[in-house]
């Protein structure tokens, strides 16, 4: 029998599965868990592209499986291709961790594979004269029942930006419009009721957010995408939360 995880009775606690507790209350789902109930066209397109590329690269193997009457093996191989994003997720987590340390002015070891991306992000932080206000802030909405972890709230040119780091292949359509699920994520963060801290029972207020953005970190450089987050995005997130709660019931 697996031992129950002890939940602190004071302050914020986030489980490995990104369930949130505050002062012993919870669990509440994380924002990205909630938005996973939505269709994500860009991600689906990326998965289809990966499967197509795998089919081209391994055409001889797939034909051999088919000719041997082993079509199930060929299908299983292509389906496994959908799970090859693990390396990308691990890299994203590493870069997030490094940037958190950079913003906190802590020493950090950088994986050589991430050096170019981190250097570009550092250059952008300096050029934009980013003044961090909250780094990796735990956010809670007790009334609606969700939590989240915001990468960065910062002052840039006199405005308060709510920002999220992304290391994925793309974050916006060709028009520059940030993907829907990312805008919903930012809307959910902005409408949290308070910032929570470990071992601290106090509900800390969020800074007054005036702008929203996705900071796209790549080996070729870092770019800030202005995310036009509005009331419709907040309504859509609440609808996604309702759907998530309905499924979980």
């Amino acid at each position: 029998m697996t031992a129950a995880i002890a939940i602190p009775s004071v302050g914020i606690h986030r489980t490995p599965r990104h369930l949130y507790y505050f002062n012993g209350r919870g669990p509440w789902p994380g924002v990205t868990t909630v938005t996973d109930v939505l269709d994500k066209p860009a991600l689906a397109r990326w998965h289809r592209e990966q499967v197509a590329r795998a089919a081209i690269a391994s055409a001889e193997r797939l034909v051999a499986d088919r000719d041997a009457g082993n079509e199930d093996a060929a299908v299983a191989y292509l389906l496994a291709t959908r799970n090859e994003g693990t390396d990308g997720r691990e890299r994203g987590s590493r870069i997030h961790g490094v940037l958190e340390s950079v913003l906190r002015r802590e020493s950090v070891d950088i994986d050589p594979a991430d050096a170019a991306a981190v250097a570009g992000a550092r250059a952008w932080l300096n050029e934009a004269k980013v003044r961090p206000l909250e780094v990796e802030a735990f956010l809670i909405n007790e009334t609606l029942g969700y939590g989240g972890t915001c990468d960065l709230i910062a002052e840039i040119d006199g405005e308060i930006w709510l920002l999220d780091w992304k290391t994925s292949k793309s974050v916006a359509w060709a028009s520059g419009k940030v993907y829907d699920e990312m805008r919903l994520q930012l809307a959910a963060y902005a409408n949290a009721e308070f910032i929570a801290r470990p071992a601290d029972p106090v509900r800390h207020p969020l800074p007054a957010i005036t702008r929203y953005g996705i900071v796209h970190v790549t080996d070729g450089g870092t770019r800030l995408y202005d995310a036009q987050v509005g009331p419709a995005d907040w309504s859509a997130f609440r609808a996604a939360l309702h759907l998530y709660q309905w499924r979980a019931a």
Side-chain angles (χ1 to χ4, degrees), residues 201-222:
V202 177
R203 295 165 173 80
H204 299 273
L206 276 75
I209 307 300
T210 57
R211 300 284 294 275
Y212 306 86
I214 297 296
V215 184
H216 192 205
V217 180
T218 70
D219 289 340
T222 292

Side-chain angles (χ1 to χ4, degrees), residues 161-201:
W161 286 75
L162 194 158
L163 300 166
D164 203 53
W165 302 106
K166 296 294 183 187
T167 57
S168 49
K169 184 176 180 180
S170 65
V171 299
W173 300 106
S175 65
K177 183 180 180 182
V178 169
Y179 293 145
D180 296 349
E181 66 271 17
M182 296 181 186
R183 296 199 318 276
L184 267 59
Q185 185 177 350
L186 293 171
Y189 292 156
N191 284 279
E193 294 175 323
F194 57 88
I195 295 172
R197 307 193 198 283
D200 181 352

